[in-house]
Amino acid sequence: MDHNTANLQTALIWLKTLVAGRLGVVLGKREGFELPPLDFYHQDSWLAGFLERYEPCYEEFAIFLLAIVPHLQPQFFNRIIAEHLPEGGDFPEFGGVRGANHRGILPTGETAQFLLAGDDLEKRLQVQRLLSAEHWFARQHILWLESLPHGEPAMSGRLIVDPEVVDLLTVGKVGRPRFSPDFPAEYIETAMNWEDLVLHPHTVSQIGEIENWIKHNDTLLHDWGMKRRIKPGYRALFYGPPGTGKTLTASLLGKQTGKDVFRIDLSRVVSKYIGETEKNLSKLFEKAEHKAWILFFDEADALFGKRTEIRDAHDKYANQEVAYLLQRIEAYNGLVILASNQRANIDEAFVRRFQSIVHFPMPRAEERYQIWRKTFPPQIAIGDDIDWQQIALRHELSGAGILNVTHFCAVQVLAEQATRLELKQLEAAIRREYVKEGKIV
């Protein structure tokens, strides 16, 4: 048995003693009870690390275990209650609710009050304060009370624990979230490296500035005391034609610095229904908070386009959506990158909020030459009639366009069971790419 499992087992025995003891006192079966001491293993245990970091008091630790236990032993409360009420019966003082799929008891704020305070009003109010929005449980997004319909007592809400806390406690790591209505973003990565990406020298220099921020931000904010004077995150705008490396650069920044990168397509997030856009964005930022993820907002024009005068209620709410996103972006403590095909599409009032504005121009002839030389696999012999410098001068293609041509040529060579690429084949593939891009018909 590993240390974390052993610690969880010790904690569950402790919680069972607390629940059984309180039920025994309330039902008149005993006068009092004594909780066993907690003696944890401190190595290789997330639970021990949690205790060391937050130093919870007895009541806080009990509430934490109450929220966690349905994820570990679904019938935990049912079994204890059945031992004390073998003939069954309703016991509303205990609190708890049934879930849509979960068959056991899900503890509520009332459950915590019953176990920790009984009928003592002062102690019940103390428990209520532990479950308020001001407590570190809520501020650190560890656990909170479920929101209820207007008019119902707040403490009858379920104890909700962050799923990531459950992951850390049970499997030892947090899995990357998948794209869903609750998380409208997808994880992106690349097998490429910086040397595979060819950019304009000025663009490379600006990307280096962002790398420097990622590497040294913690020192700047905490060791140098700048946290009081500057906002914690970094906001950058990438603009340029499609296929010039904006998404790849974001992926490489994550790979280089060891941070996950998530791409958010704002066209999927923006809703025609009032309030839905803010709701979608709120879920996204709540998930990303304190993760140091890189958030890459593709097609940023969908929300950050030039504003028009307010003529109707729709325009008014559209401006509210933009204001909300700006607020969340500025409060985010990681790197946020917005991407657009044209800088002119982004309202200047928003542009001023960015620390960095990086242009990704179409590659010049010298950059196209490097891309052509790097892109073709070594298994393909290049015909003597192919001069990459002449190809680069004659054909204005983006990096993505060149990659598409390479891909097509490689498949053709394999299909023909050849090992050599001739100029005629290359020119035909380039023409095919031009037709696809609408440059020729």
Side-chain angles (χ1 to χ4, degrees):
M1 182 185 299
D2 62 52
H3 289 170
N4 199 60
T5 304
N7 285 346
L8 282 174
Q9 195 169 62
T10 299
L12 292 178
I13 292 171
W14 184 87
L15 180 63
K16 182 177 180 180
T17 303
L18 171 61
V19 177
R22 176 61 70 183
L23 284 170
V25 171
V26 171
L27 296 173
K29 296 180 178 181
R30 60 198 301 176
E31 293 183 1
F33 63 96
E34 186 175 340
L35 287 170
L38 284 167
D39 187 15
F40 285 131
Y41 294 99
H42 290 279
Q43 293 180 339
D44 305 320
S45 168
W46 184 88
L47 183 58
F50 172 83
L51 295 175
E52 185 176 342
R53 178 179 178 182
Y54 293 106
E55 299 181 345
C57 65
Y58 148 72
E59 290 84 2
E60 290 168 336
F61 185 61
I63 290 172
F64 176 75
L65 290 181
L66 284 175
I68 284 289
V69 75
H71 300 272
L72 302 174
Q73 294 183 354
Q75 297 301 317
F76 181 88
F77 297 111
N78 298 67
R79 289 171 179 166
I80 299 175
I81 291 175
E83 290 175 6
H84 288 78
L85 296 171
E87 298 180 3
D90 192 23
F91 194 61
E93 295 97 326
F94 189 82
V97 294
R98 303 283 181 181
N101 299 310
H102 183 78
R103 301 292 295 276
I105 295 174
L106 294 170
T108 60
E110 292 170 347
T111 308
Q113 288 180 315
F114 170 78
L115 294 175
L116 297 172
D119 292 328
D120 188 317
L121 181 59
E122 184 178 351
K123 289 183 178 179
R124 292 179 72 87
L125 293 176
Q126 288 176 0
V127 173
Q128 191 161 339
R129 282 192 284 271
L130 297 179
L131 293 169
S132 70
E134 289 73 34
H135 190 269
W136 58 266
F137 275 152
R139 286 190 285 105
Q140 297 296 324
H141 205 69
I142 292 170
L143 65 86
W144 56 92
L145 282 175
E146 175 187 31
S147 298
L148 294 173
H150 182 68
E152 293 195 27
M155 297 302 285
S156 60
R158 287 183 301 156
L159 292 173
I160 307 294
V161 65
D162 187 348
E164 294 183 3
V165 172
V166 178
D167 285 347
L168 288 168
L169 192 62
T170 54
V171 298
K173 64 179 182 178
V174 176
R176 293 190 184 101
R178 296 181 180 180
F179 184 89
S180 70
D182 288 337
F183 188 73
E186 59 179 335
Y187 172 72
I188 57 174
E189 59 182 335
T190 181
M192 297 176 72
N193 298 306
W194 281 120
E195 54 266 25
D196 299 315
L197 179 62
V198 179
L199 298 172
H200 189 284
H202 184 59
T203 305
V204 173
S205 175
Q206 289 183 289
I207 297 303
E209 294 172 6
I210 298 175
E211 271 194 284
N212 289 338
W213 176 85
I214 296 174
K215 291 176 182 176
H216 303 297
N217 184 53
D218 284 345
T219 301
L220 181 68
L221 292 180
H222 304 294
D223 297 349
W224 288 20
M226 292 294 286
K227 186 177 181 180
R228 295 172 296 172
R229 297 180 176 86
I230 60 176
K231 293 178 179 178
Y234 193 96
R235 294 159 293 284
L237 171 67
F238 288 1
Y239 75 96
T244 50
K246 299 185 292 294
T247 303
L248 178 56
T249 297
S251 300
L252 286 171
L253 279 169
K255 184 176 183 179
Q256 179 73 19
T257 57
K259 299 185 183 299
D260 287 345
V261 184
F262 288 89
R263 177 172 57 199
I264 302 99
D265 187 341
L266 279 174
S267 64
R268 301 182 187 181
V269 176
V270 175
S271 173
K272 64 182 179 180
Y273 299 105
I274 292 173
E276 281 298 306
T277 300
E278 293 95 324
K279 183 178 177 182
N280 294 338
L281 290 167
S282 177
K283 291 176 181 177
L284 170 69
F285 279 101
E286 284 175 6
K287 193 75 173 177
E289 207 66 45
H290 307 300
K291 304 290 192 317
W293 289 341
I294 297 175
L295 300 181
F296 180 73
F297 286 83
D298 206 1
E299 305 292 342
D301 318 50
L303 200 53
F304 281 92
K306 289 187 177 295
R307 292 173 293 182
T308 57
E309 293 182 7
I310 297 177
R311 293 187 296 269
D312 55 31
H314 184 271
D315 292 335
K316 176 183 177 182
Y317 285 110
N319 284 347
Q320 289 181 0
E321 291 170 352
V322 172
Y324 179 80
L325 179 55
L326 278 172
Q327 173 194 341
R328 294 307 299 257
I329 284 176
E330 290 190 320
Y332 183 61
N333 59 2
L335 172 61
V336 175
I337 300 171
L338 272 68
S340 172
N341 291 341
Q342 294 282 343
R343 174 175 173 167
N345 292 345
I346 305 296
D347 195 299
E348 283 298 319
F350 309 143
V351 169
R352 289 195 294 270
R353 309 290 187 99
F354 301 120
Q355 283 105 321
S356 184
I357 299 176
V358 185
H359 183 207
F360 287 76
M362 285 290 288
R364 301 168 301 173
E366 55 262 45
E367 287 137 17
R368 294 196 295 271
Y369 170 67
Q370 293 181 54
I371 298 171
W372 280 117
R373 291 193 62 196
K374 290 182 175 186
T375 304
F376 272 87
Q379 290 84 354
I380 297 179
I382 305 301
D384 295 336
D385 53 354
I386 295 176
D387 183 338
W388 288 129
Q389 287 187 327
Q390 287 300 314
I391 295 294
L393 282 169
R394 288 167 51 198
H395 300 290
E396 187 176 352
L397 288 166
S398 67
I402 293 174
L403 182 59
N404 288 338
V405 171
T406 303
H407 187 187
F408 180 79
C409 288
V411 171
Q412 287 297 104
V413 167
L414 286 169
E416 295 171 6
Q417 296 185 338
T419 58
R420 190 177 197 78
L421 177 70
E422 304 296 342
L423 179 61
K424 181 180 177 181
Q425 295 170 292
L426 178 62
E427 292 282 7
I430 292 173
R431 177 179 175 81
R432 177 180 177 276
E433 184 65 19
Y434 277 146
V435 171
K436 192 176 64 143
E437 293 181 2
K439 293 180 178 178
I440 60 173
V441 294

